[in-house]
Amino acid sequence: MKNFALIGAGGYVAPRHMQAIKETGNTLIAALDINDASAALNNYFPEAHSFTRFENFKKYLEKQKQLGNKTDYITVCSPNYLHDAHVRFGLGMGADVICEKPIVLDPWNVDALTGMEKETGRKVFTILQMRLHPAAKALKEKIAASPADKRYKVNLQYITARGQWYHTSWKGDVQKSGGIATNIGVHFFDLLLWIFGDVRHNKVSLHNATAAAGELELERADVDWKLSIEEEALPAATRAAGKQTYRVITIDEDVFDFSEGFADLHTQSYAAILAGNGFPLIETRKVIALVEEIRNTK
């Protein structure tokens, strides 16, 4: 059984990590969030020590290490702009780190963290859960089995309705979240690069606070993509069904719906990491470079 500590315990995605820690047979010894995270902790690890001040959290982990109760993994679920600092903290503590997407906002941060991995002898893993989705695995196998010179026409639409709270939270601040292409789209861009190869050309036609769109020329595909957090952008049938998310990739004439099937992907991610098969830090560099370029394209 491994000891975990979690930074960002009060956030939206943190319960998925708590569930994954529990379902893989491990324990959470400490959790940090500036807000109250007691509800989520009580559902999974009521015995975990909870902190709202970083210095107290750090002091507790250091004391536990002195007592022989070392933290094996630090999970980072804090706001995007804090990931770099919190990953560095975890490595400095002598722990391996599991960090939510996007692992950092800029590709040069990936380079710096790669250097720190070598210095500390510890590892950073990221959650690329889309690669574990059954539809993604089937798609990857299909493309890999096709003739090497075949090119595909791809259309990505990812619409996930968000309320006004989004714009007043850190997610609505491009300096903190990286903007919609980074905060919302990074795992889908990673999926496309994983399946169709590296970027040859990147054209951005729209990028604002609520929507983004553009075209990508990849090694084996030409991609039209659109991201949106506007409820009115949802297809009528999706809204009629009372759903707030529409995730669809169309490849030539085939439609792959990713709107469902995410329930246990974090647990699968943790199981792979603990077995030595997680997605390493360097695996994220290409997609981080792409979303940084999209964000800064005028």
Side-chain angles (χ1 to χ4, degrees):
M1 183 172 69
K2 301 295 185 181
N3 287 336
F4 281 77
L6 192 154
I7 301 175
Y12 167 78
V13 76
R16 298 183 192 178
H17 289 265
M18 295 181 197
Q19 180 180 354
I21 294 167
K22 191 174 187 68
E23 290 183 348
T24 52
N26 299 288
T27 189
L28 184 69
I29 63 171
L32 169 68
D33 201 287
I34 59 172
N35 299 308
D36 181 18
S38 58
L41 286 169
N42 197 56
N43 288 333
Y44 297 100
F45 295 100
E47 70 282 4
H49 288 258
S50 179
F51 300 90
T52 57
R53 295 179 56 139
F54 180 82
E55 56 268 34
N56 293 340
F57 173 76
K58 180 178 182 231
K59 188 182 299 183
Y60 175 78
L61 295 185
E62 290 173 341
K63 181 66 173 178
Q64 290 301 303
K65 187 176 182 179
Q66 293 171 1
L67 295 173
N69 193 30
K70 177 182 177 294
T71 303
D72 299 295
Y73 289 87
I74 290 182
T75 292
V76 177
C77 298
S78 52
N80 300 351
Y81 70 105
L82 296 174
H83 285 182
D84 181 68
H86 289 155
V87 169
R88 288 172 179 273
F89 165 73
L91 293 174
M93 286 290 296
D96 290 328
V97 179
I98 299 173
C99 185
E100 254 299 339
K101 60 83 186 169
I103 198 157
V104 288
L105 295 181
D106 299 298
W108 46 88
N109 294 128
V110 175
D111 299 336
L113 290 177
T114 300
M116 194 169 180
E117 279 185 316
K118 294 176 182 177
E119 292 171 9
T120 61
R122 309 314 304 177
K123 294 295 183 183
V124 181
F125 301 94
T126 189
I127 303 295
L128 301 177
Q129 75 270 32
M130 287 299 303
R131 297 191 188 187
L132 303 179
H133 195 288
K137 290 181 178 180
L139 179 55
K140 172 78 168 174
E141 292 174 2
K142 176 181 178 180
I143 302 305
S146 67
D149 60 350
K150 177 173 173 55
R151 291 191 63 76
Y152 293 87
K153 183 67 176 176
V154 178
N155 182 275
L156 163 66
Q157 291 194 62
Y158 180 16
I159 304 165
T160 179
R162 296 288 188 266
Q164 286 302 313
W165 63 267
Y166 185 93
H167 303 289
T168 56
S169 74
W170 64 266
K171 293 183 178 183
D173 184 340
V174 69
Q175 299 301 318
K176 294 182 177 181
S177 70
I180 188 171
T182 302
N183 194 49
I184 299 294
V186 67
H187 50 307
F188 272 97
F189 288 127
D190 171 76
L191 182 64
L192 293 175
L193 269 59
W194 180 57
I195 293 173
F196 296 107
D198 294 347
V199 178
R200 291 178 174 174
H201 182 68
N202 172 28
K203 177 182 178 182
V204 180
S205 55
L206 173 68
H207 192 281
N208 58 39
T210 61
E215 300 171 10
L216 285 173
E217 180 186 339
L218 305 181
E219 289 179 357
R220 298 198 59 189
D222 297 304
V223 181
D224 289 319
W225 59 270
K226 177 184 178 181
L227 310 171
S228 178
I229 58 170
E230 301 166 357
E231 184 176 3
E232 56 269 27
L234 289 166
T238 302
R239 281 185 284 172
K243 298 179 180 179
Q244 292 188 308
T245 300
Y246 180 77
R247 305 181 183 97
V248 171
I249 296 177
T250 303
I251 301 171
D252 294 337
E253 301 302 320
D254 296 328
V255 178
F256 295 82
D257 193 335
F258 292 88
S259 298
E260 307 291 343
F262 287 84
D264 68 339
L265 295 187
H266 276 73
T267 298
Q268 290 185 40
S269 298
Y270 269 69
I273 291 167
L274 291 161
N277 299 316
F279 298 115
L281 170 64
I282 196 63
E283 192 84 1
T284 68
R285 196 188 190 286
K286 290 178 181 178
V287 72
I288 296 300
L290 172 60
V291 293
E292 186 271 336
E293 183 178 308
I294 290 172
R295 179 170 70 247
N296 291 309
T297 297
K298 301 300 181 184

